[in-house]
Amino acid sequence: MLSIAKVTKNYAAEGGRRPKSPVDVSAPALRGIDLEVGRGQFHTLLGPSGCGKTTLLRSIAGLERPDTGTITLSGTTMFSSDQGIDVSPDRRGLGMVFQSYAIWPHMDVFKNVAFPLTVRRPGRTGAKLTRAEQRDRVEEALAAVGLADYAGRQATNLSGGQQQRLAVARALVTRPALVLLDEPLSNLDARLRESMRFELKRLQRETGVTMVYVTHDQSEALALSDVVTVMSQGGIEQSASPEEVYDQPGSLFVAEFVGAPNLLTGVVEHLADGAARIASEAGTIAVDRCTWQLGDEVRVLMRPEDFIITAAEESADPEERNTFTGVITATAFEGERVRHQVKVGKLTMECHAERHRALSDGSDVRLTIPAERVRLVPGSAASGGAE
Ligand SMILES: Nc1ncnc2c1ncn2[C@@H]1O[C@H](COP(=O)(O)OP(=O)(O)OP(=O)(O)O)[C@@H](O)[C@H]1O
Ligand SMILES: [Mg+2]
């Protein structure tokens, strides 16, 4: 329903109005973005600060004018540098929620939500709504976010989470096909942020509205999304389901950004029937699936939760491959599990253990990982580069 093609934006080319970063102000904010967002999708733009997430979102909204490219919404061209089309924000039919979700303190909850209806221009969406129709719409939007009983409350007398829901209701009230959200949960404390995640996802499912959601928090992106698009330096690194981004990072940048403590360097030294042996800095590692060639440099990704950790004195299965011996150097208790750091030769590996199976610091241990859990990631960060 949303198609973005070859969108570029370089603030420096316009004389750099208010450069936020003293570093490379001449680097383009968007380097030729191609992106498809399907109807009813929860689509997240994930990436580090300054990678261009807000610029892309504002370009979709019409608040930022790209240098080149095309943006199409439900078959209607909203922006085209070639055709000289640039539809104004209020005519794009979008809902928006920003990080500073500015509620109007002098209005009650009902008036806050009704506001976009009262200023809505007639045009694409037909004649202005009657008062009764407006009331129905506001009540519907408030009910969707669970604020039906708060309509008469002064907006400033809501909790942080309720104000957040009010902002979402205001974005939904015009029944837009697409809602854009820019880090809407970042002002909330950790616990509220987690519960709002579930609420947002439920709301998106129930209303069927398409959402494009911006965050730099990888766990938020994985928890909420149908599709995660990972951005770096104005470009797209990978666009895939949360499971795929986590299990099969498309680049070293994605692997590091999504959080991979154990990423060893290695070279493909043996290939047979799609499986391979990798000569890594921690010794030979067997993998079930390898699309690389003999001699290629790769990174070996082993997730901390995929290791089986046992005390070294327990007898080992002689058949077992991918076994590393080491010493526990640090342990962090995290509630339902513990995190161990294990010194393996010169390397430090991280692994998780169930809390009741935790071992103490200084223990000699064996780490084992099945070959099907080992992932290979491109060996260099040539495409993007970490911050
Ligand atoms: N109005 C502006 N004028 C000049 N440069 C800008 C402007 N807005 C953003 N930039 C630059 O464009 C790049 C992308 O910025 P953008 O705000 O899109 O990043 P972001 O991914 O949203 O980051 P954050 O997570 O910090 O919000 C940055 O290098 C930034 O400094
Ligand atoms: Mg931003």
Side-chain angles (χ1 to χ4, degrees), residues 1-3 71-78 92-94 124 178:
M1 66 108 46
L2 172 67
S3 285
I71 298 172
T72 310
L73 188 62
S74 305
T76 307
T77 304
M78 293 294 162
R92 293 195 183 196
L94 305 171
R124 277 165 49 82
L178 177 64

Side-chain angles (χ1 to χ4, degrees), residues 124-195:
R124 277 165 49 82
T125 39
K128 216 169 158 173
L129 299 173
T130 65
R131 276 189 171 277
E133 284 167 335
Q134 283 185 20
R135 194 180 55 240
D136 288 349
R137 290 284 192 94
V138 173
E139 281 169 0
E140 174 190 283
L142 286 175
V145 299
L147 286 179
D149 297 336
Y150 294 80
R153 178 89 65 100
Q154 202 59 27
T156 42
N157 296 342
L158 295 176
S159 71
Q162 288 166 338
Q163 291 187 12
Q164 185 59 54
R165 285 191 252 161
L166 174 57
V168 174
R170 201 168 52 192
L172 289 173
V173 76
T174 57
R175 292 191 189 150
L178 177 64
V179 174
L180 308 175
L181 305 99
D182 194 353
E183 313 236 10
L185 306 185
S186 54
N187 283 343
L188 307 178
D189 66 59
R191 228 164 50 95
L192 195 53
R193 201 157 58 222
E194 293 231 341
S195 69

Side-chain angles (χ1 to χ4, degrees), residues 11 16-21 29 48-55 183 216:
Y11 291 104
R17 282 175 289 127
R18 63 179 165 87
K20 276 201 290 188
S21 147
S49 183
C51 73
K53 305 178 298 292
T54 296
T55 303
E183 313 236 10
H216 60 262

Side-chain angles (χ1 to χ4, degrees), residues 190-366:
R191 228 164 50 95
L192 195 53
R193 201 157 58 222
E194 293 231 341
S195 69
M196 279 301 295
R197 275 182 203 171
F198 283 108
E199 291 212 16
L200 264 180
K201 184 149 185 160
R202 175 190 58 79
L203 200 69
Q204 191 266 339
R205 286 280 135 79
E206 284 176 11
T207 55
V209 67
T210 311
M211 284 190 176
V212 177
Y213 185 95
V214 163
T215 182
H216 60 262
D217 179 332
Q218 72 277 17
S219 58
E220 194 163 288
L222 297 178
L224 279 169
S225 318
D226 298 312
V227 178
V228 178
T229 292
V230 184
M231 293 179 66
S232 159
Q233 298 178 1
I236 291 178
E237 292 276 325
Q238 185 174 18
S239 192
S241 69
E243 290 80 5
E244 195 176 337
V245 166
Y246 190 78
D247 284 336
Q248 199 51 70
S251 66
L252 183 54
F253 177 86
V254 175
E256 285 176 338
F257 194 74
V258 175
N262 309 311
L263 259 178
L264 311 186
T265 56
V267 175
V268 181
E269 67 165 10
H270 182 262
L271 271 173
D273 302 330
R277 274 201 315 265
I278 312 297
S280 85
E281 47 186 330
T284 303
I285 297 175
V287 294
D288 265 8
R289 237 164 7 112
C290 178
T291 52
W292 274 264
Q293 306 291 310
L294 219 52
D296 280 352
E297 284 182 26
V298 291
R299 289 295 185 105
V300 183
L301 167 59
M302 295 181 286
R303 293 274 179 204
E305 66 271 25
D306 289 333
F307 282 112
I308 299 154
I309 182 167
T310 46
E313 63 264 23
E314 279 181 41
S315 58
D317 177 351
E319 293 287 292
E320 222 153 52
R321 297 181 298 172
N322 296 342
T323 297
F324 311 92
T325 52
V327 181
I328 297 180
T329 52
T331 299
F333 175 63
E334 293 190 337
E336 78 269 35
R337 65 164 193 214
V338 297
R339 233 158 39 144
H340 290 303
Q341 287 202 327
V342 179
K343 202 155 166 36
V344 176
K346 274 186 277 178
L347 298 168
T348 298
M349 307 242 255
E350 193 177 309
C351 77
H352 297 166
E354 282 173 50
R355 61 176 297 196
H356 299 296
R357 306 203 49 186
L359 296 156
S360 47
D361 287 359
S363 305
D364 289 318
V365 293
R366 196 162 42 236

